[in-house]
Amino acid sequence: MEILSGSRAHDLKPAAVAGFVVALVAVVLLLPAAAAAQPDLVGSWHVLVHYKDENAQHPERERWDDRVWVFEKAGSRLRWTEYPIVVFDEQTGRFDSSMGRSARVLQFWTPNEVQLADIQDGLAVNERGMKSKSLRKSDDGWASFARASAASASVIGYTEYWSIENQPAGPVFKREDVLGSERSEDLDGVTLYTTEAIESGGTVLRGKFVRDGTRHGTFQMMRAAGTEGLKTDGKTPNEKANDRGRKALEALGYGGE
């Protein structure tokens, strides 16, 4: 290996050295931008939330919720659809029916291997409670239309404002519910899903969950099968359980014709 010394070391021109330093700094500055590339949201996602509720009778209890989000391009806009009722073929660890009605178990539920495969194959959803918003492109992401004002002072108006804000760590999903009239102050409810990590090539997002300042926890978004594979099921888990119970009675000779 030849080491430059003496007069040969002085042959390195200051302009060349300065150019090298500038190029190196530029490369370093570009690295965070590449790491923070925004994921492609178009498609279907299973959204799982783990949280604790400060206003609940037992605030220390672990709670969970899940839903399916579907994002579709509609011309220059982005349509965001939410299905709050998700139906897995394998329900282990999700609901407890010991008290005569199906309720979410009071502990953090995480999909097992069979349920993960169900997400990847395409989940069944119930259209009851489904909501959808058309979002316009904004400076830093997407946002639904401007809030509507109440028609008169005596009318209480309700509207929902949905937005997606691109931040360095990933997108922030915001859902704001506004209830009020011209005679009273608005009552706002805000739900935030703040992405802190993007994993598995942009197919998994993780971060903080906050709802109305009283529910705090974490969320995970996992890409599911494409929208063409999304099945619609008209029955809730309770209705499916009733069907199973009726079939069991029929098998014992009760009910039926």
Side-chain angles (χ1 to χ4, degrees):
M1 178 178 179
E2 183 181 6
I3 301 176
L4 297 177
S5 60
S7 62
R8 294 187 64 189
H10 292 289
D11 290 339
L12 294 176
K13 297 181 179 179
V17 174
F20 174 79
V21 172
V22 171
L24 180 61
V25 170
V27 170
V28 172
L29 291 176
L30 285 174
L31 288 177
Q38 299 298 318
D40 180 11
L41 294 177
V42 174
S44 303
W45 298 80
H46 176 254
V47 183
L48 173 63
V49 175
H50 290 171
Y51 69 95
K52 294 182 179 180
D53 189 348
E54 295 176 3
N55 284 348
Q57 185 175 1
H58 299 282
E60 76 284 355
R61 287 182 176 173
E62 297 178 344
R63 303 172 189 273
W64 66 272
D65 192 9
D66 71 338
R67 54 205 59 234
V68 167
W69 286 352
V70 179
F71 298 95
E72 301 171 285
K73 288 301 294 290
S76 62
R77 299 179 182 177
L78 181 70
R79 178 160 293 279
W80 179 0
T81 303
E82 177 183 85
Y83 297 90
I85 302 176
V86 188
V87 183
F88 280 82
D89 293 333
E90 160 70 311
Q91 292 287 352
T92 301
R94 288 172 55 80
F95 296 95
D96 180 10
S97 302
S98 60
M99 301 300 292
R101 58 183 294 273
S102 183
R104 288 184 174 87
V105 296
L106 289 176
Q107 63 183 40
F108 292 154
W109 165 76
T110 301
N112 58 32
E113 291 185 2
V114 176
Q115 292 162 340
L116 286 173
D118 205 4
I119 293 173
Q120 295 167 1
D121 292 340
L123 290 167
V125 295
N126 191 307
E127 289 190 347
R128 187 168 60 190
M130 180 268 286
K131 296 181 179 180
S132 187
K133 288 281 187 180
S134 178
L135 278 60
R136 292 174 174 168
K137 194 74 177 68
S138 63
D139 293 339
D140 54 6
W142 301 87
S144 61
F145 304 160
R147 303 177 187 138
S149 59
S152 67
S154 60
V155 175
I156 296 177
Y158 173 79
T159 188
E160 296 185 14
Y161 182 75
W162 299 8
S163 65
I164 304 170
E165 181 181 349
N166 293 326
Q167 290 292 328
V172 176
F173 304 89
K174 183 177 182 180
R175 306 280 294 272
E176 186 174 5
D177 307 327
V178 182
L179 179 67
S181 69
E182 294 183 358
R183 290 181 177 176
S184 62
E185 294 184 0
D186 290 346
L187 298 176
D188 291 7
V190 179
T191 305
L192 285 173
Y193 303 79
T194 304
T195 302
E196 296 179 319
I198 301 174
E199 304 172 1
S200 302
T203 61
V204 176
L205 281 61
R206 303 181 191 275
K208 293 188 302 185
F209 167 82
V210 179
R211 178 174 177 180
D212 299 339
T214 60
R215 298 184 182 185
H216 300 269
T218 62
F219 81 95
Q220 170 188 279
M221 278 180 64
M222 179 176 293
R223 185 175 288 281
T227 54
E228 69 278 4
L230 197 64
K231 304 184 291 292
T232 300
D233 191 318
K235 294 184 179 181
T236 66
N238 283 344
E239 292 168 339
K240 285 179 173 288
N242 290 336
D243 287 345
R244 289 193 295 269
R246 184 170 58 255
K247 289 179 179 178
L249 290 175
E250 291 174 354
L252 294 174
Y254 297 98
E257 297 293 335

